[in-house]
PDB file of all heavy atoms in Angstrom:
ATOM      1  N   CYS B   1       2.532  -3.197  -2.668  1.00 91.00           N
ATOM      2  CA  CYS B   1       2.152  -3.345  -4.070  1.00 91.00           C
ATOM      3  C   CYS B   1       0.823  -4.075  -4.195  1.00 91.00           C
ATOM      4  O   CYS B   1      -0.065  -3.662  -4.952  1.00 91.00           O
ATOM      5  CB  CYS B   1       3.238  -4.091  -4.841  1.00 91.00           C
ATOM      6  SG  CYS B   1       2.865  -4.374  -6.586  1.00 91.00           S
ATOM      7  N   LEU B   2       0.661  -5.163  -3.432  1.00 93.00           N
ATOM      8  CA  LEU B   2      -0.579  -5.932  -3.469  1.00 93.00           C
ATOM      9  C   LEU B   2      -1.755  -5.097  -2.991  1.00 93.00           C
ATOM     10  O   LEU B   2      -2.847  -5.153  -3.566  1.00 93.00           O
ATOM     11  CB  LEU B   2      -0.446  -7.194  -2.614  1.00 93.00           C
ATOM     12  CG  LEU B   2       0.468  -8.289  -3.150  1.00 93.00           C
ATOM     13  CD1 LEU B   2       0.558  -9.434  -2.141  1.00 93.00           C
ATOM     14  CD2 LEU B   2      -0.013  -8.818  -4.487  1.00 93.00           C
ATOM     15  N   GLN B   3      -1.532  -4.314  -1.948  1.00 95.00           N
ATOM     16  CA  GLN B   3      -2.595  -3.463  -1.426  1.00 95.00           C
ATOM     17  C   GLN B   3      -3.011  -2.414  -2.453  1.00 95.00           C
ATOM     18  O   GLN B   3      -4.205  -2.156  -2.643  1.00 95.00           O
ATOM     19  CB  GLN B   3      -2.135  -2.785  -0.130  1.00 95.00           C
ATOM     20  CG  GLN B   3      -2.015  -3.731   1.052  1.00 95.00           C
ATOM     21  CD  GLN B   3      -1.430  -3.059   2.283  1.00 95.00           C
ATOM     22  OE1 GLN B   3      -0.804  -1.999   2.198  1.00 95.00           O
ATOM     23  NE2 GLN B   3      -1.619  -3.686   3.444  1.00 95.00           N
ATOM     24  N   THR B   4      -2.018  -1.836  -3.138  1.00 96.00           N
ATOM     25  CA  THR B   4      -2.312  -0.843  -4.167  1.00 96.00           C
ATOM     26  C   THR B   4      -3.092  -1.459  -5.314  1.00 96.00           C
ATOM     27  O   THR B   4      -4.070  -0.888  -5.806  1.00 96.00           O
ATOM     28  CB  THR B   4      -1.008  -0.217  -4.697  1.00 96.00           C
ATOM     29  OG1 THR B   4      -0.336   0.450  -3.629  1.00 96.00           O
ATOM     30  CG2 THR B   4      -1.292   0.788  -5.809  1.00 96.00           C
ATOM     31  N   LEU B   5      -2.669  -2.653  -5.754  1.00 97.00           N
ATOM     32  CA  LEU B   5      -3.373  -3.343  -6.835  1.00 97.00           C
ATOM     33  C   LEU B   5      -4.828  -3.615  -6.450  1.00 97.00           C
ATOM     34  O   LEU B   5      -5.740  -3.408  -7.253  1.00 97.00           O
ATOM     35  CB  LEU B   5      -2.666  -4.656  -7.166  1.00 97.00           C
ATOM     36  CG  LEU B   5      -1.329  -4.565  -7.908  1.00 97.00           C
ATOM     37  CD1 LEU B   5      -0.682  -5.946  -8.012  1.00 97.00           C
ATOM     38  CD2 LEU B   5      -1.508  -3.967  -9.296  1.00 97.00           C
ATOM     39  N   GLN B   6      -5.045  -4.080  -5.237  1.00 97.00           N
ATOM     40  CA  GLN B   6      -6.406  -4.370  -4.784  1.00 97.00           C
ATOM     41  C   GLN B   6      -7.252  -3.103  -4.728  1.00 97.00           C
ATOM     42  O   GLN B   6      -8.408  -3.095  -5.188  1.00 97.00           O
ATOM     43  CB  GLN B   6      -6.371  -5.020  -3.397  1.00 97.00           C
ATOM     44  CG  GLN B   6      -5.789  -6.428  -3.388  1.00 97.00           C
ATOM     45  CD  GLN B   6      -5.836  -7.057  -2.010  1.00 97.00           C
ATOM     46  OE1 GLN B   6      -6.901  -7.223  -1.445  1.00 97.00           O
ATOM     47  NE2 GLN B   6      -4.680  -7.395  -1.472  1.00 97.00           N
ATOM     48  N   GLN B   7      -6.695  -2.055  -4.173  1.00 97.00           N
ATOM     49  CA  GLN B   7      -7.436  -0.800  -4.029  1.00 97.00           C
ATOM     50  C   GLN B   7      -7.819  -0.235  -5.391  1.00 97.00           C
ATOM     51  O   GLN B   7      -8.959   0.204  -5.597  1.00 97.00           O
ATOM     52  CB  GLN B   7      -6.599   0.220  -3.245  1.00 97.00           C
ATOM     53  CG  GLN B   7      -6.445  -0.127  -1.772  1.00 97.00           C
ATOM     54  CD  GLN B   7      -5.370   0.702  -1.087  1.00 97.00           C
ATOM     55  OE1 GLN B   7      -4.697   1.533  -1.714  1.00 97.00           O
ATOM     56  NE2 GLN B   7      -5.199   0.480   0.211  1.00 97.00           N
ATOM     57  N   GLU B   8      -6.870  -0.237  -6.328  1.00 98.00           N
ATOM     58  CA  GLU B   8      -7.144   0.289  -7.663  1.00 98.00           C
ATOM     59  C   GLU B   8      -8.185  -0.569  -8.370  1.00 98.00           C
ATOM     60  O   GLU B   8      -9.071  -0.048  -9.062  1.00 98.00           O
ATOM     61  CB  GLU B   8      -5.857   0.355  -8.486  1.00 98.00           C
ATOM     62  CG  GLU B   8      -4.888   1.424  -8.012  1.00 98.00           C
ATOM     63  CD  GLU B   8      -3.645   1.499  -8.879  1.00 98.00           C
ATOM     64  OE1 GLU B   8      -3.451   0.595  -9.724  1.00 98.00           O
ATOM     65  OE2 GLU B   8      -2.871   2.456  -8.715  1.00 98.00           O
ATOM     66  N   TRP B   9      -8.080  -1.894  -8.224  1.00 98.00           N
ATOM     67  CA  TRP B   9      -9.042  -2.791  -8.858  1.00 98.00           C
ATOM     68  C   TRP B   9     -10.462  -2.507  -8.352  1.00 98.00           C
ATOM     69  O   TRP B   9     -11.390  -2.347  -9.141  1.00 98.00           O
ATOM     70  CB  TRP B   9      -8.664  -4.242  -8.579  1.00 98.00           C
ATOM     71  CG  TRP B   9      -9.737  -5.208  -8.990  1.00 98.00           C
ATOM     72  CD1 TRP B   9     -10.699  -5.762  -8.189  1.00 98.00           C
ATOM     73  CD2 TRP B   9     -10.000  -5.691 -10.317  1.00 98.00           C
ATOM     74  NE1 TRP B   9     -11.538  -6.564  -8.929  1.00 98.00           N
ATOM     75  CE2 TRP B   9     -11.132  -6.534 -10.233  1.00 98.00           C
ATOM     76  CE3 TRP B   9      -9.388  -5.494 -11.546  1.00 98.00           C
ATOM     77  CZ2 TRP B   9     -11.662  -7.178 -11.341  1.00 98.00           C
ATOM     78  CZ3 TRP B   9      -9.907  -6.148 -12.666  1.00 98.00           C
ATOM     79  CH2 TRP B   9     -11.032  -6.972 -12.558  1.00 98.00           C
ATOM     80  N   LEU B  10     -10.618  -2.449  -7.043  1.00 98.00           N
ATOM     81  CA  LEU B  10     -11.945  -2.241  -6.463  1.00 98.00           C
ATOM     82  C   LEU B  10     -12.504  -0.875  -6.864  1.00 98.00           C
ATOM     83  O   LEU B  10     -13.699  -0.741  -7.155  1.00 98.00           O
ATOM     84  CB  LEU B  10     -11.880  -2.377  -4.935  1.00 98.00           C
ATOM     85  CG  LEU B  10     -11.536  -3.782  -4.434  1.00 98.00           C
ATOM     86  CD1 LEU B  10     -11.351  -3.777  -2.913  1.00 98.00           C
ATOM     87  CD2 LEU B  10     -12.599  -4.793  -4.827  1.00 98.00           C
ATOM     88  N   TRP B  11     -11.659   0.137  -6.896  1.00 98.00           N
ATOM     89  CA  TRP B  11     -12.115   1.480  -7.274  1.00 98.00           C
ATOM     90  C   TRP B  11     -12.608   1.493  -8.718  1.00 98.00           C
ATOM     91  O   TRP B  11     -13.675   2.044  -9.013  1.00 98.00           O
ATOM     92  CB  TRP B  11     -10.987   2.496  -7.112  1.00 98.00           C
ATOM     93  CG  TRP B  11     -11.453   3.909  -7.330  1.00 98.00           C
ATOM     94  CD1 TRP B  11     -11.918   4.773  -6.384  1.00 98.00           C
ATOM     95  CD2 TRP B  11     -11.515   4.607  -8.581  1.00 98.00           C
ATOM     96  NE1 TRP B  11     -12.274   5.968  -6.972  1.00 98.00           N
ATOM     97  CE2 TRP B  11     -12.039   5.902  -8.317  1.00 98.00           C
ATOM     98  CE3 TRP B  11     -11.183   4.283  -9.899  1.00 98.00           C
ATOM     99  CZ2 TRP B  11     -12.230   6.858  -9.323  1.00 98.00           C
ATOM    100  CZ3 TRP B  11     -11.385   5.225 -10.899  1.00 98.00           C
ATOM    101  CH2 TRP B  11     -11.892   6.497 -10.606  1.00 98.00           C
ATOM    102  N   HIS B  12     -11.845   0.885  -9.637  1.00 98.00           N
ATOM    103  CA  HIS B  12     -12.237   0.870 -11.050  1.00 98.00           C
ATOM    104  C   HIS B  12     -13.502   0.035 -11.264  1.00 98.00           C
ATOM    105  O   HIS B  12     -14.322   0.367 -12.119  1.00 98.00           O
ATOM    106  CB  HIS B  12     -11.091   0.352 -11.921  1.00 98.00           C
ATOM    107  CG  HIS B  12     -10.050   1.381 -12.215  1.00 98.00           C
ATOM    108  ND1 HIS B  12      -9.041   1.694 -11.328  1.00 98.00           N
ATOM    109  CD2 HIS B  12      -9.862   2.190 -13.299  1.00 98.00           C
ATOM    110  CE1 HIS B  12      -8.281   2.633 -11.847  1.00 98.00           C
ATOM    111  NE2 HIS B  12      -8.750   2.960 -13.033  1.00 98.00           N
ATOM    112  N   CYS B  13     -13.634  -1.035 -10.507  1.00 98.00           N
ATOM    113  CA  CYS B  13     -14.855  -1.841 -10.617  1.00 98.00           C
ATOM    114  C   CYS B  13     -16.067  -1.039 -10.148  1.00 98.00           C
ATOM    115  O   CYS B  13     -17.125  -1.052 -10.801  1.00 98.00           O
ATOM    116  CB  CYS B  13     -14.720  -3.123  -9.794  1.00 98.00           C
ATOM    117  SG  CYS B  13     -13.627  -4.357 -10.530  1.00 98.00           S
ATOM    118  N   GLN B  14     -15.925  -0.364  -9.034  1.00 98.00           N
ATOM    119  CA  GLN B  14     -17.019   0.457  -8.529  1.00 98.00           C
ATOM    120  C   GLN B  14     -17.386   1.560  -9.522  1.00 98.00           C
ATOM    121  O   GLN B  14     -18.561   1.889  -9.693  1.00 98.00           O
ATOM    122  CB  GLN B  14     -16.640   1.065  -7.182  1.00 98.00           C
ATOM    123  CG  GLN B  14     -16.555   0.048  -6.052  1.00 98.00           C
ATOM    124  CD  GLN B  14     -15.866   0.587  -4.819  1.00 98.00           C
ATOM    125  OE1 GLN B  14     -15.397   1.730  -4.794  1.00 98.00           O
ATOM    126  NE2 GLN B  14     -15.782  -0.244  -3.788  1.00 98.00           N
ATOM    127  N   ALA B  15     -16.380   2.093 -10.208  1.00 98.00           N
ATOM    128  CA  ALA B  15     -16.606   3.186 -11.155  1.00 98.00           C
ATOM    129  C   ALA B  15     -17.442   2.751 -12.352  1.00 98.00           C
ATOM    130  O   ALA B  15     -18.094   3.594 -12.992  1.00 98.00           O
ATOM    131  CB  ALA B  15     -15.277   3.755 -11.630  1.00 98.00           C
ATOM    132  N   ILE B  16     -17.435   1.453 -12.693  1.00 98.00           N
ATOM    133  CA  ILE B  16     -18.265   0.987 -13.813  1.00 98.00           C
ATOM    134  C   ILE B  16     -19.558   0.338 -13.318  1.00 98.00           C
ATOM    135  O   ILE B  16     -20.279  -0.283 -14.099  1.00 98.00           O
ATOM    136  CB  ILE B  16     -17.496   0.019 -14.747  1.00 98.00           C
ATOM    137  CG1 ILE B  16     -17.105  -1.271 -14.019  1.00 98.00           C
ATOM    138  CG2 ILE B  16     -16.275   0.710 -15.352  1.00 98.00           C
ATOM    139  CD1 ILE B  16     -16.536  -2.343 -14.952  1.00 98.00           C
ATOM    140  N   GLY B  17     -19.818   0.492 -12.014  1.00 97.00           N
ATOM    141  CA  GLY B  17     -21.094   0.027 -11.480  1.00 97.00           C
ATOM    142  C   GLY B  17     -21.112  -1.368 -10.907  1.00 97.00           C
ATOM    143  O   GLY B  17     -22.180  -1.919 -10.653  1.00 97.00           O
ATOM    144  N   ALA B  18     -19.943  -1.955 -10.689  1.00 98.00           N
ATOM    145  CA  ALA B  18     -19.896  -3.324 -10.169  1.00 98.00           C
ATOM    146  C   ALA B  18     -20.313  -3.367  -8.705  1.00 98.00           C
ATOM    147  O   ALA B  18     -20.069  -2.423  -7.940  1.00 98.00           O
ATOM    148  CB  ALA B  18     -18.485  -3.884 -10.307  1.00 98.00           C
ATOM    149  N   THR B  19     -20.938  -4.455  -8.307  1.00 98.00           N
ATOM    150  CA  THR B  19     -21.221  -4.678  -6.895  1.00 98.00           C
ATOM    151  C   THR B  19     -19.926  -5.071  -6.192  1.00 98.00           C
ATOM    152  O   THR B  19     -18.978  -5.560  -6.824  1.00 98.00           O
ATOM    153  CB  THR B  19     -22.250  -5.803  -6.715  1.00 98.00           C
ATOM    154  OG1 THR B  19     -21.663  -7.039  -7.195  1.00 98.00           O
ATOM    155  CG2 THR B  19     -23.532  -5.509  -7.478  1.00 98.00           C
ATOM    156  N   ASP B  20     -19.880  -4.859  -4.901  1.00 97.00           N
ATOM    157  CA  ASP B  20     -18.691  -5.253  -4.132  1.00 97.00           C
ATOM    158  C   ASP B  20     -18.446  -6.755  -4.265  1.00 97.00           C
ATOM    159  O   ASP B  20     -17.301  -7.205  -4.372  1.00 97.00           O
ATOM    160  CB  ASP B  20     -18.863  -4.888  -2.661  1.00 97.00           C
ATOM    161  CG  ASP B  20     -18.788  -3.387  -2.417  1.00 97.00           C
ATOM    162  OD1 ASP B  20     -18.332  -2.664  -3.324  1.00 97.00           O
ATOM    163  OD2 ASP B  20     -19.193  -2.945  -1.330  1.00 97.00           O
ATOM    164  N   LYS B  21     -19.531  -7.521  -4.263  1.00 98.00           N
ATOM    165  CA  LYS B  21     -19.411  -8.982  -4.356  1.00 98.00           C
ATOM    166  C   LYS B  21     -18.745  -9.393  -5.661  1.00 98.00           C
ATOM    167  O   LYS B  21     -17.824 -10.227  -5.671  1.00 98.00           O
ATOM    168  CB  LYS B  21     -20.794  -9.619  -4.246  1.00 98.00           C
ATOM    169  CG  LYS B  21     -20.765 -11.141  -4.296  1.00 98.00           C
ATOM    170  CD  LYS B  21     -22.174 -11.727  -4.154  1.00 98.00           C
ATOM    171  CE  LYS B  21     -22.141 -13.251  -4.212  1.00 98.00           C
ATOM    172  NZ  LYS B  21     -23.516 -13.826  -4.077  1.00 98.00           N
ATOM    173  N   ALA B  22     -19.184  -8.798  -6.793  1.00 98.00           N
ATOM    174  CA  ALA B  22     -18.613  -9.141  -8.100  1.00 98.00           C
ATOM    175  C   ALA B  22     -17.161  -8.673  -8.197  1.00 98.00           C
ATOM    176  O   ALA B  22     -16.308  -9.380  -8.727  1.00 98.00           O
ATOM    177  CB  ALA B  22     -19.448  -8.529  -9.216  1.00 98.00           C
ATOM    178  N   ALA B  23     -16.891  -7.483  -7.693  1.00 98.00           N
ATOM    179  CA  ALA B  23     -15.528  -6.939  -7.758  1.00 98.00           C
ATOM    180  C   ALA B  23     -14.558  -7.816  -6.988  1.00 98.00           C
ATOM    181  O   ALA B  23     -13.452  -8.121  -7.463  1.00 98.00           O
ATOM    182  CB  ALA B  23     -15.509  -5.516  -7.215  1.00 98.00           C
ATOM    183  N   ILE B  24     -14.942  -8.232  -5.791  1.00 98.00           N
ATOM    184  CA  ILE B  24     -14.075  -9.081  -4.967  1.00 98.00           C
ATOM    185  C   ILE B  24     -13.932 -10.467  -5.583  1.00 98.00           C
ATOM    186  O   ILE B  24     -12.839 -11.049  -5.590  1.00 98.00           O
ATOM    187  CB  ILE B  24     -14.628  -9.164  -3.533  1.00 98.00           C
ATOM    188  CG1 ILE B  24     -14.507  -7.793  -2.853  1.00 98.00           C
ATOM    189  CG2 ILE B  24     -13.881 -10.225  -2.721  1.00 98.00           C
ATOM    190  CD1 ILE B  24     -15.234  -7.690  -1.528  1.00 98.00           C
TER     191      ILE B  24
END
């Protein structure tokens, strides 16, 4: 569940143009 939450969060952040640093 935690892995899924993290993966979905990072994907959605990337989709709106976030940097990896900001998303994490």
